[in-house]
Every structure is written in structure tokens, then in C-alpha cells.
Amino acid sequence: MPAMGVTDADPSIAPLSLVTTDELGFLKVAQTGGSAIGSLQCVRRWGRADKSRGIRSLVIKPASDTGPELAAVGRSNGDIDSLSCQHGTVHGSISAQPCDRADRDAGAAVAGLSLWSTEGGLRLMSCTEGGQARLYEGTWMQSSPEAPEASGTEPSSCEWKQAAAWQAAKVPVCCMAADGGTGVMAVGCKGSELSIWNIKTQQKAYQAKGAKPNKLGLMDMPWNSAVAFTPGAGGRLLFVGTGYHKLRLYDVAQARPLLNVEFGEGRLTSLAPCPDGEMCWAADSTGRIQVLDARTKKPQSSLMGHGGAVRSISLHPSRPLLASVGLDRHLCIHDIRTRECLAKLYLKQILTAVEFWDTPRPLVPQHSKPVPNDLPEARAELPSSQAKSQRT
Amino acid sequence: MLGKRKRDVEPQVVDTRSVGEKTSHIANKLVRAREYAKLKTKKKKAKRTERARREKETLKAEELGLEPPPKRVPKTLENTRELDGTVVQAEDDEIEADEAQDEYAGYFESTVAPKVLLTTCYKPTKLMYRFLAEMLETLPCAYYYKRQGFALKKIVKYASNRGFTDIMVFNQRGKELDGLLMIHLPDGPTAHFRLSNLILGEDIKGHGRATTHKPELVLNNFGTRLGRRVGRMFASLFSQDPAFRGRRVVTFHNQRDFVFFRHHRYIFEEKEKKQPGKKEKETKVESRLQELGPRFTLKLMSLQHGTFDSKSGEFEWVHKPQMDTSRRKFFL
């Protein structure tokens, strides 16, 4: 692939890699051909087409001393897979609990995932739509975890063991965010206000209240549709988006929000706080992406480019870039300083999540059609209803 | 002569500016107008001679039995369309896999038969009833329900409990029909169209009456990913096994993002016709069309994921003014 517009880009900047997931169950890796962002293309597609196992949430842990890079995906039937974006190999799978599957109304779909590493190994926090919060402990089964990276041959496997499980909400859960460093988890629901749980003790640490009633004495019903912890605040400050187009900033020292700002006209779907903790990018169900500055208390800097709702946004850890995906089946990358859309890539499916990925080695684009069945699945324990949907 | 023609053919530096652009720098209006007229005449003349030359060449080629030069294709908005990369290619396994599992998969596998609920805005007028009567003839699987002040979300729940596959809500503003909301049940999507240029069947000259046969369906130019989705939505309103005896066709023709709805009956007739230069009559099969109506035009305003929820629903596509950057960009 000839790199487009390489001349006008800085050659010192490494190529970008992004991972997206979609409703059909695919995990796709998009990568720039050279240093120019405009040459973004899809280089890998992992997974097989099965809507019942569509991916709802994605989290990526970069490679560290404790283990290689690892991605975890939460599916709409409640299964969680941990896999390598580089090879597409599944390192470990967690099947949905039978109680979740039986209770269809409660929702077995994974509403939120969080992955971090501790001295003891990996920790994976998940929360289903039915309100079941679960903590898993993961250990690498291979003696030398760097092996897959170094040789690029056989990756090691990861064993997941459930460490804790509790009912975090009795109403449908819309979003979940966990702060591994401080050991807290926030759950946003439709029907009750935000609550924060201590992961160690599985006790509720904080129960938020909604914003104060307005002049007419009216207030919004509880519906928190997006939540994110402010980086560097030690799990004390968090941004919350509501289904009634409000963006709030909560401090756990008080029940009511510090800020309650009107944001667009649709339901807020995704939040990405900036590393300084003062600003927060937010996206909504009409395709609006704007940043809220907690100091000026106004949403500003609209990013144009999406034709439909935005499902997920992600900030690059070091560069001024914001990636967004949504129902219009496009992945957009914007420069947050100039607000320019640098790249727009059509990825064919309704996309659900996006993350920047610090790839250890750039992937070579596949020109032939990707093999559809290269993700081994836990097929043995599929219930009959799913087997039926696979046939169709 | 020959030398002159040769000189004409020689490549020159072509001035691509229009006549107006060439003369706009002249400040005096009279001079400018004179110069403009002169250049315009010159241009027209050049065009005329060029056309005559081409015609001559074609005739000459035909006489010699050679292949005539290729016919010039006029530039239209369609053939100079700016593609946005979402046009569905044939045998795209990923899109086929998606469509095999989407909301319309049951209909296309013939496991779900269409059943459509027709309703209106809160206060329809007489025109709406005349139109609905024709729509009920057009859609053999449609049932009309009075709106009776019910909220749409309640109607959605009611219809999905009773096995309806689609809801069509026609909206009226003043005395004109202006909108159509189509909701696929039970899981969406919901499409909102602007409806315009409505002509009832009874107002069409030489119209016919629709029979009760299941109609055939023609869907034209739904090429992009969004277009395919909308096209599948239209297709799922009609039964998959048309009664060909009825010779009824319903057409959804998309052109430049406007979807034209037409309803016809066709006939193949054997006719005895006298051919020019021949004495005896020849029998020839001719096809004829009779319009049954109604006819109207639809323009997609938004496509929403899930059933009707205008406040917090997620939109797959919404028309935004900033999308209209070019006349050559189409979404369906």
C-alpha cells in the first residue's frame, strides 16, 4: 500500500494502530501505512460472524514486565475472551454464568470491562447488564511471558479464576468503570443513581444523588449512560454522562454533582477524560463529539465527521488524537487541537468500541480475504438457543 | 482544406475559462456585453462545427463498414457521483454474514410473513383517508388502525405483541401529507422519510384499480450500505411470493437520494401492426403499463437503531446540513 501524503507528515512519528470491535463479533486492527494518518487501513480481522456473540466492550492492557499485551472483549451473551491483537489467539475465555443466561430480562451482556495488572497477576473486572459485578484473577501459564513477543510463535495462555462476585445493581446497568489503582468500581444504571463500590470488600463506598431540581422543581430521572474516572484523582473525581443529555462531574466527598452541564440533545454514550483531569471529551447518540472544560463549564470544540451515533471514543495516550467509532460504521481520527478529521475508515459493521493500541510490531496488511474462523471459540458449552442462532 | 483540418486537430493550450470569466474583467458594461456576445457566438459556432464533424465521421465509418467512433456520454450527477466508499461490492462475505443475521433475516428466509400496521398522525383529514384507502390496496398485508391519540411507543408495544412486522405512520401538516415513519418490529430500525409530491391514484389520468393479488417489487439503485438497509426495509413490507397473475408491480426507484414510489399494472399484448414498407400486418408482442397509484416521493431524513425513541435513541444515520457539501454526493 503506498503511503498517502507521507511527505507532509513527521517521519519521526511511529505508525498508529487502533483496535475496534463490532456488533457482529469481529475485532479489527486498523493501522496507518506510514507515519501519515490519512493512510489508515484495516490490516487484521479476528473472530467470526455471530451476532449473538457481538462484542460490547473492549479493554487493552499494554505489554509490561508482568506479561505481554492483552485485550479483553465482553460479548452480548455474557462471555469474556482475552486475546492477543497481534495474533488473534484467545489466551483465555470466561463463559457466562448459567444464572445470567437463564435470566434473559436481567441481561447477561457485558456492560463494562476493566483490566489492570497487580503484583499477583492480572485483574479483570466485569459487570453485566443485569448488575452482576465479577472480579477475575488471571495468571499467565507460561514461564516466560515475553516469549510470544520475542519469537512471534506460540503465545502463552492465561488462566482466569473468579475471585469475587456480587450484585452491584438491581436495575439495568448501562456503564461501568473501574480504577484498578485505588480498587474502586463505578456503576451507572438506568433507574438508580451512580454508585461506587470497593472491589476488595465488595461494599458500596459511595452513592450519588442527582442534580438539584431546576427552577420549576423538575429533575431528571436517574439514568447514567457513561462514566469515566478522572486520571490522577485517585478515584475521587469522575465524569458521568446521562441519558438526558447532561454531563456531570462528581466528587465522592459530596453526593450531588459539582457540575451538571447540558450537552447536546441525545444520550451520552462515551467519555474520555484528558490526562490533566480538567477536560473531558464526550460523545452522544446523535454523533456530537465535544469537550467539556470543567473550568469554563461549557462544551466546546465540536468534532465533525460522523453521520450517526458515536458509541465509543478514545484519546491517544501521548499524541493529540481522538479516535471515535459509531453506528455509521466508520472509524474517525481527529486532531483535537485543530479539530480536523485526519482519517475516516469504513469498517462495514456497527462498531461498538475503539482503543489505541501500542503495537510491538507493525502488522503487514493482508491483501487476501481474512480467514473467518481463525478465532477458536468455546463452542462446547453453547446452549441450544445459541446453536440455533448460529445455524441461521 | 486538409492542412487546415490538421491544424485544428493539433493540441493547443485550451482555455478552460467560461465566456463570463473571460469578459468579467471589462468594466464598461456595453463593451463587456458586446465582447460577451461575440465570444458566445464563436463558442456556439465551434460547437456546431465539431458536432457536424463527428456526425460526418460516424456516417463515413458506417459506409465503410468500420466501427463508428464511440458515442459521447453526457456528464450527469449520477455518473460523476462522488463515492464515499460504502458501496456494497458483490460477494462481500462480511456484509453477507451481517445481513444473514440482521433484523430482516427472518423475512428474507421466508420464516416471517409481513404484516403491516398503518396509522396516521393525531388529526388526519379527508385526504389522508383517501390516501390510506389506496395504500391498503397497494399493501395486501396492511391493516389500518385509528391513531386515537395513542403515543407511538404504546403503538409499537401493541403491534409487536400482535405479531406485526412493521408500522407505517403517515404524517400530515396542514392539508398536505409530509412525512412517513417506518418502524420495523420487534427490534427496529426506524426510518423517518419526508414525503412529497403525492398524487392519488384517482387523480392520475387513465388510472386503474388495484387487484387483491400480491404485487411484485422493484427496488432500484439502493447501492450503499445505508441504501441496502433502507431497500431491505422497503422489501420487507411486501410478501416474498408475488402473484404473477396479478401483473402488479410496486417500484421504489432511488435517484439522487430521492425514492420514487410507483404502482403499476403491466400487460403483454399481441398486436397486429403494419410495418412500414410491407403490405401485410405482423403480430408483435407489446408491453403496456397502466398506473394504479398512488405516487409519491420519499427522502430519508434519519435512520434510527431500535424502535421509535426520538429522545434517547441512537441514530445510524441522520441528515445534517453539513453533509451537503457537494451535489455529487449521495448516501443511498
Side-chain angles (χ1 to χ4, degrees):
Chain A
M1 163 94 193
M4 289 150 57
V6 172
T7 45
D8 55 296
D10 185 2
S12 63
I13 297 170
L16 272 180
S17 287
L18 294 117
V19 178
T20 65
T21 58
D22 58 48
E23 278 196 349
L24 205 59
F26 289 125
L27 183 133
K28 287 177 183 167
V29 182
Q31 197 174 278
T32 53
S35 49
I37 296 171
S39 64
L40 191 73
Q41 60 170 336
C42 181
V43 289
R44 285 291 185 282
R45 189 185 85 188
W46 308 118
R48 66 188 161 86
D50 184 356
K51 208 157 241 180
S52 63
R53 302 192 79 236
I55 299 175
R56 292 285 305 270
S57 39
L58 163 77
V59 61
I60 297 179
K61 192 192 78 62
S64 64
D65 303 337
T66 51
E69 56 90 18
L70 187 72
V73 291
R75 297 181 184 272
S76 51
N77 67 345
D79 291 351
I80 300 167
D81 286 330
S82 57
L83 63 147
S84 143
C85 301
Q86 188 93 24
H87 308 285
T89 2
V90 176
H91 289 317
S93 292
I94 307 163
S95 291
Q97 302 287 325
C99 58
D100 287 345
R101 280 205 176 130
D103 196 357
R104 297 297 298 169
D105 292 335
V110 180
L113 271 184
S114 189
L115 182 65
W116 68 94
S117 57
T118 60
E119 292 92 37
L122 295 164
R123 295 284 180 278
L124 178 69
M125 187 76 227
S126 83
C127 187
T128 65
E129 276 188 356
Q132 271 288 326
R134 293 198 179 90
L135 177 70
Y136 298 95
E137 285 176 358
T139 40
W140 288 101
M141 296 310 282
Q142 200 167 304
S143 54
S144 59
E146 289 82 19
E149 273 179 276
S151 63
T153 53
E154 274 300 300
S156 55
S157 69
C158 187
E159 183 98 341
W160 292 105
K161 206 174 79 199
Q162 186 172 307
W166 71 98
Q167 189 75 27
K170 285 173 184 164
V171 283
V173 172
C174 300
C175 54
M176 186 278 273
D179 190 16
T182 47
V184 287
M185 178 196 76
V187 178
C189 317
K190 188 176 185 181
S192 75
E193 284 296 350
L194 181 87
S195 56
I196 297 179
W197 294 75
N198 188 325
I199 295 173
K200 256 186 195 167
T201 58
Q202 291 111 47
Q203 297 296 315
K204 198 185 270 186
Y206 171 71
Q207 176 63 53
K209 277 184 176 179
K212 277 185 180 171
N214 66 6
K215 274 187 267 179
L216 302 170
L218 300 172
M219 55 197 291
D220 289 336
M221 300 279 279
W223 185 5
N224 299 308
S225 51
V227 60
F229 281 100
T230 311
R236 294 187 58 78
L237 285 174
L238 64 171
F239 284 98
V240 175
T242 74
Y244 302 102
H245 44 85
K246 300 277 187 341
L247 187 53
R248 293 173 180 169
L249 175 63
Y250 276 102
D251 185 346
V252 293
Q254 64 184 64
R256 295 227 190 254
L258 296 178
L259 271 183
N260 184 43
V261 180
E262 191 86 16
F263 186 95
E265 290 175 340
R267 164 160 57 101
L268 272 93
T269 50
S270 182
L271 302 174
C274 293
D276 64 357
E278 296 284 359
M279 311 230 270
C280 179
W281 286 91
D284 79 357
S285 62
T286 58
R288 177 191 293 257
I289 308 174
Q290 278 189 310
V291 66
L292 172 80
D293 192 332
R295 293 160 294 197
T296 59
K297 302 174 187 176
K298 270 182 199 160
Q300 53 202 18
S301 295
S302 269
L303 301 184
M304 305 292 190
H306 278 288
V310 176
R311 273 273 172 88
S312 170
I313 54 174
S314 174
L315 276 172
H316 192 276
S318 53
R319 292 166 65 181
L321 298 174
L322 182 124
S324 53
V325 293
L327 266 65
D328 65 347
R329 302 159 204 265
H330 281 87
L331 160 68
C332 287
I333 300 181
H334 287 89
D335 187 324
I336 54 175
R337 288 174 310 189
T338 61
R339 293 193 276 152
E340 192 187 351
C341 184
L342 300 174
K344 196 170 175 184
L345 179 67
Y346 167 57
L347 287 170
K348 294 183 184 177
Q349 307 299 341
I350 287 182
L351 302 166
T352 50
V354 63
E355 286 285 340
F356 279 99
W357 175 41
D358 186 16
T359 169
R361 218 173 26 251
L363 294 160
V364 183
Q366 283 176 333
H367 291 291
S368 58
K369 279 182 184 174
V371 187
N373 289 333
D374 39 15
L375 188 74
E377 303 285 340
R379 274 178 289 267
E381 56 268 15
L382 284 176
S384 58
S385 65
Q386 271 180 293
K388 196 180 167 189
S389 68
Q390 274 174 12
R391 275 202 304 278
T392 54
Chain B
M1 271 302 272
L2 266 173
K4 203 176 179 186
R5 191 178 296 164
K6 218 173 190 179
R7 257 206 314 282
D8 284 350
V9 176
E10 268 173 17
Q12 299 167 353
V13 182
V14 186
D15 193 353
T16 51
R17 289 178 305 162
S18 68
V19 176
E21 281 167 347
K22 278 179 194 165
T23 51
S24 61
H25 66 278
I26 304 168
N28 186 320
K29 194 176 179 181
L30 287 172
V31 176
R32 189 170 67 232
R34 199 166 55 228
E35 195 65 18
Y36 183 91
K38 212 190 275 174
L39 284 172
K40 199 82 180 169
T41 323
K42 201 178 159 191
K43 199 179 174 185
K44 269 187 186 168
K45 207 175 170 186
K47 224 174 173 180
R48 210 160 46 228
T49 44
E50 176 65 17
R51 195 187 300 133
R53 187 186 63 77
R54 274 203 311 272
E55 278 170 9
K56 217 173 174 183
E57 258 180 34
T58 319
L59 275 177
K60 206 175 174 186
E62 274 176 11
E63 271 175 26
L64 293 172
L66 298 170
E67 202 172 311
K71 255 193 171 178
R72 304 210 324 164
V73 183
K75 275 185 194 168
T76 58
L77 289 185
E78 278 87 17
N79 63 22
T80 55
R81 177 178 179 176
E82 290 167 12
L83 295 171
D84 61 348
T86 67
V87 175
V88 179
Q89 306 296 325
E91 291 177 18
D92 191 326
D93 61 333
E94 205 182 316
I95 290 170
E96 278 172 15
D98 183 36
E99 288 185 345
Q101 299 178 42
D102 72 353
E103 296 94 334
Y104 306 108
Y107 163 77
F108 284 98
E109 284 165 6
S110 303
T111 50
V112 181
K115 191 179 172 192
V116 184
L117 188 151
L118 291 188
T119 188
T120 64
C121 51
Y122 287 126
K123 281 190 173 177
T125 63
K126 191 178 171 187
L127 172 75
M128 178 72 88
Y129 290 112
R130 281 163 64 201
F131 170 69
L132 280 176
E134 292 192 1
M135 279 313 282
L136 284 168
E137 282 184 358
T138 314
L139 286 162
C141 54
Y143 299 82
Y144 166 65
Y145 280 70
K146 263 191 192 172
R147 179 70 183 260
Q148 287 191 317
F150 281 112
L152 262 181
K153 281 189 185 176
K154 276 191 178 173
I155 296 176
V156 167
K157 213 181 255 179
Y158 174 92
S160 14
N161 288 341
R162 276 157 188 79
F164 282 95
T165 59
D166 287 273
I167 299 177
M168 288 173 93
V169 186
F170 289 96
N171 193 50
Q172 202 169 14
R173 194 175 202 182
K175 286 195 174 174
E176 270 190 27
L177 263 69
D178 75 334
L180 164 64
L181 191 80
M182 270 172 66
I183 309 168
H184 188 72
L185 299 175
D187 299 321
T190 304
H192 179 227
F193 298 94
R194 187 173 68 202
L195 192 152
S196 56
N197 298 342
L198 170 71
I199 298 177
L200 295 179
E202 60 192 56
D203 298 337
I204 296 170
K205 204 182 165 191
H207 71 93
R209 279 294 295 275
T211 53
T212 52
H213 296 90
K214 288 176 185 170
E216 297 161 48
L217 189 64
V218 176
L219 289 166
N220 287 340
N221 306 335
F222 291 96
T224 63
R225 199 71 214 281
L226 179 72
R228 283 269 280 232
R229 210 151 154 72
V230 174
R232 282 165 78 81
M233 193 167 203
F234 288 134
S236 69
L237 297 174
F238 294 89
S239 175
Q240 274 212 307
D241 51 332
F244 291 103
R245 284 179 66 89
R247 309 188 316 277
R248 272 175 68 191
V249 197
V250 171
T251 311
F252 290 93
H253 175 87
N254 171 35
Q255 194 167 351
R256 304 178 187 177
D257 282 353
F258 288 93
V259 180
F260 297 95
F261 175 91
R262 297 290 183 272
H263 185 199
H264 291 96
R265 177 163 43 229
Y266 60 84
I267 192 159
F268 294 112
E269 274 184 338
E270 275 193 3
K271 270 202 169 175
E272 288 194 337
K273 261 198 170 176
K274 212 179 159 187
Q275 294 295 323
K278 285 185 183 176
K279 275 191 177 177
E280 285 184 14
K281 281 182 178 177
E282 277 183 15
T283 51
K284 240 186 148 186
V285 179
E286 273 192 350
S287 63
R288 290 199 297 120
L289 275 183
Q290 184 182 31
E291 190 158 357
L292 307 178
R295 67 163 90 126
F296 53 85
T297 311
L298 298 170
K299 179 137 199 309
L300 185 67
M301 293 282 107
S302 69
L303 184 70
Q304 187 216 308
H305 204 55
T307 55
F308 179 77
D309 188 354
S310 56
K311 273 190 178 164
S312 59
E314 288 180 304
F315 289 92
E316 282 181 36
W317 184 83
V318 200
H319 180 262
K320 293 173 187 168
Q322 65 255 32
M323 285 173 174
D324 303 328
T325 49
S326 163
R327 291 171 65 217
R328 300 172 198 286
K329 220 163 134 187
F330 305 113
F331 300 101
L332 294 183

